[in-house]
Amino acid sequence: MSYDQIEVPEDGEKITFEDGELSVPDNPIIPIIHGDGIGTDVGPAAQKVLDAAAEATGRSVSWMRVYAGASARDKYDENLPEDTVSAIRDHRVAIKGPLTTPVGAGFRSLNVALRKKLDMYANVRPTYHLDGVPSPVKNPSAMDMVTFRENTEDVYAGIEWEAGTDEVQQVKEFVEEEMGATGVIHDGPVGIGIKPITEFGTKRLVREAIEYALENDRDSVTLVHKGNIMKFTEGAFRDWGYELAAEEFGDVTITEDELWEEYDGEKPEDKVVVKDRIADNMLQQLLTRTADYDVIATMNLNGDYMSDAAGAQIGGLGIAPGANFGEGLCLAEPVHGSAPKYAGEDKVNPTAMILSGRLMFEYMGWKDAGQLIRDAVEKTISEGDVTYDLHRQIEGGNKLATSEYADKVVENIHELA
């Protein structure tokens, strides 16, 4: 397979997906987008660590540079070339750094556009504490949660109209005159958006969350919603989520009511509890009852808030990994932004992108390499070898550049392997 301006490595093999199964060779070709801003620093650093973990477990990665954002504008004169989308689709597993969406790019967000083009409907963000990372809470190790955020719907669908346009006036008149929603929209300029939540989108997201919980021995899946107010969108998400659990996982899931009525609060080992929480209440329960939550399934906006709030408890977004999943597709990416003012300074923390690579390796079935990455990162940080962001919060640490930190993690991989 060829692309206009992408060089395909000759020393690697394609990952394939057939009959619902991912087939991963020991020398896969993996597309990588270094990203914008600090992506030029954290991308190569993560690549170095991932190479070391692969080699330590008897494998290798053939990296294929693909382009989006600033690097794509330089090469293609556009922000998101079809080459890049096709290469990720063809090779099934990829990793990217942060992207900046320039004004007038034709996209609200390059990140969102890439997820939509590939129908990567599940944004997955594991949140766990690493020993040695400063945290604002007393017991950060209680946080060990995975958020499944629906990627394609909700207000992120981009169905909205700008104040002062003919379109927004048409929508306003339709809502008031045809649908009878009078006395709701104030006079004067108004922006209007539509919030679609579908049964299809909800159920495939909740299915992924329950399957993850079962495969990883998690105790519960919590449906997070604001259904007490948005009864026909977020309330429907809750109802469809319970429906899916009963229809497809009825033999291995129980509701919270069933947990108390039939098991007196003692969860059977072979069951996953499916429960739900109101979104605002859930945000405070992340702090007050952290250990009660394992896997979260929620909509796009709630998931954005929830995962960032959870990330704060384990030390911030600089170490928070993430990945997007579709049908036989994985695009790993850190949660943080591109921070252009630090670009090229070799100072920022690459841990989030490194741990996103760990998530990618786990999806590929390379769990031994993934565990090695986590252990090496934790060893590095716990020994006080950190980048500037963590160094200023600890005493007696050794402040390292981005590249030096990656070298130290690689050294620890070799020591632990």
Side-chain angles (χ1 to χ4, degrees), residues 164-178:
T165 61
D166 291 341
E167 290 83 2
V168 81
Q169 185 60 31
Q170 290 173 19
V171 174
K172 181 176 184 291
E173 290 174 0
F174 175 78
V175 167
E176 292 179 334
E177 297 173 12
E178 299 294 327

Side-chain angles (χ1 to χ4, degrees), residues 31-167:
I32 182 168
I33 301 170
H34 283 171
D36 295 330
I38 58 171
T40 58
D41 299 312
V42 301
Q47 200 170 327
K48 185 186 301 184
V49 171
L50 296 175
D51 274 336
E55 290 166 9
T57 54
R59 309 175 180 104
S60 64
V61 175
S62 293
W63 297 104
M64 181 169 69
R65 281 292 303 277
V66 297
Y67 306 90
S71 63
R73 291 194 296 278
D74 292 341
K75 200 172 184 68
Y76 293 85
D77 197 27
E78 58 179 305
N79 290 288
L80 187 56
E82 186 55 37
D83 262 9
T84 296
V85 177
S86 296
I88 295 172
R89 184 185 293 114
D90 292 342
H91 291 83
R92 292 290 169 182
V93 171
I95 185 169
K96 61 174 282 296
L99 294 175
T100 300
T101 307
V103 175
F107 300 103
R108 284 179 169 83
S109 163
L110 279 173
N111 295 309
V112 173
L114 191 51
R115 295 168 193 166
K116 284 185 176 180
K117 282 177 176 288
L118 293 164
D119 194 26
M120 289 187 162
Y121 58 86
N123 179 253
V124 180
R125 295 185 178 181
T127 311
Y128 49 86
H129 184 248
L130 297 170
D131 187 36
V133 176
S135 166
V137 299
K138 291 181 179 178
N139 184 23
S141 61
M143 172 61 73
D144 185 10
M145 191 178 81
V146 183
T147 302
F148 280 72
R149 169 189 172 195
E150 205 290 321
N151 244 351
T152 65
E153 300 186 332
D154 203 359
V155 292
Y156 284 70
I159 308 171
E160 61 176 358
W161 297 273
E162 185 180 2
T165 61
D166 291 341
E167 290 83 2

Side-chain angles (χ1 to χ4, degrees), residues 44-357:
Q47 200 170 327
K48 185 186 301 184
V49 171
L50 296 175
D51 274 336
E55 290 166 9
T57 54
R59 309 175 180 104
S60 64
V61 175
S62 293
W63 297 104
M64 181 169 69
R65 281 292 303 277
V66 297
Y67 306 90
S71 63
R73 291 194 296 278
D74 292 341
K75 200 172 184 68
Y76 293 85
D77 197 27
E78 58 179 305
N79 290 288
L80 187 56
E82 186 55 37
D83 262 9
T84 296
V85 177
S86 296
I88 295 172
R89 184 185 293 114
D90 292 342
H91 291 83
R92 292 290 169 182
V93 171
I95 185 169
K96 61 174 282 296
L99 294 175
T100 300
T101 307
V103 175
F107 300 103
R108 284 179 169 83
S109 163
L110 279 173
N111 295 309
V112 173
L114 191 51
R115 295 168 193 166
K116 284 185 176 180
K117 282 177 176 288
L118 293 164
D119 194 26
M120 289 187 162
Y121 58 86
N123 179 253
V124 180
R125 295 185 178 181
T127 311
Y128 49 86
H129 184 248
L130 297 170
D131 187 36
V133 176
S135 166
V137 299
K138 291 181 179 178
N139 184 23
S141 61
M143 172 61 73
D144 185 10
M145 191 178 81
V146 183
T147 302
F148 280 72
R149 169 189 172 195
E150 205 290 321
N151 244 351
T152 65
E153 300 186 332
D154 203 359
V155 292
Y156 284 70
I159 308 171
E160 61 176 358
W161 297 273
E162 185 180 2
T165 61
D166 291 341
E167 290 83 2
V168 81
Q169 185 60 31
Q170 290 173 19
V171 174
K172 181 176 184 291
E173 290 174 0
F174 175 78
V175 167
E176 292 179 334
E177 297 173 12
E178 299 294 327
M179 303 304 293
T182 57
V184 176
I185 302 174
H186 296 300
D187 292 336
V190 57
I192 296 177
I194 291 180
K195 176 189 178 76
I197 304 293
T198 67
E199 179 182 14
F200 172 78
T202 296
K203 287 189 173 180
R204 68 176 179 175
L205 185 278
V206 174
R207 183 182 297 113
E208 287 281 335
I210 293 175
E211 286 177 348
Y212 178 90
L214 291 167
E215 291 168 7
N216 292 277
D217 298 320
R218 295 285 186 152
D219 289 338
S220 66
V221 173
T222 305
L223 309 171
V224 178
H225 61 92
K226 191 63 179 170
N228 58 327
I229 302 298
M230 289 172 274
K231 301 183 187 300
F232 305 128
T233 50
E234 303 216 1
F237 176 90
R238 172 201 59 215
D239 295 344
W240 286 325
Y242 277 124
E243 214 174 80
L244 182 279
E247 290 170 349
E248 297 187 16
F249 301 96
D251 56 335
V252 289
T253 62
I254 56 175
T255 66
E256 201 167 30
D257 287 343
E258 290 169 337
L259 173 67
W260 289 99
E261 292 169 3
E262 299 179 24
Y263 300 97
D264 199 27
E266 294 292 327
K267 190 192 80 68
E269 289 186 7
D270 61 342
K271 304 287 186 183
V272 169
V273 179
V274 178
K275 53 190 177 181
D276 73 278
R277 294 290 183 271
I278 301 296
D280 49 336
N281 179 43
M282 185 65 195
L283 282 168
Q284 62 93 20
Q285 291 212 27
L286 287 180
L287 285 167
T288 60
R289 304 185 67 175
T290 309
D292 288 358
Y293 299 98
D294 282 314
V295 178
I296 303 297
T298 189
M299 288 147 290
N300 218 329
L301 185 60
N302 289 338
D304 207 355
Y305 296 152
M306 206 73 56
S307 56
D308 280 13
Q313 292 182 221
I314 52 93
L317 300 187
I319 58 170
N324 305 287
F325 297 97
E327 188 68 22
L329 291 169
C330 169
L331 176 62
E333 62 178 358
V335 172
H336 62 69
S338 59
K341 71 177 182 178
Y342 296 124
E345 294 187 6
D346 196 25
K347 67 181 291 185
V348 297
N349 192 343
T351 300
M353 190 157 178
I354 291 169
L355 292 178
S356 296

Side-chain angles (χ1 to χ4, degrees), residues 14-27:
K14 278 181 64 173
I15 296 172
T16 58
F17 182 72
E18 293 181 12
D19 300 324
E21 294 292 330
L22 201 70
S23 178
V24 181
D26 285 340
N27 60 334

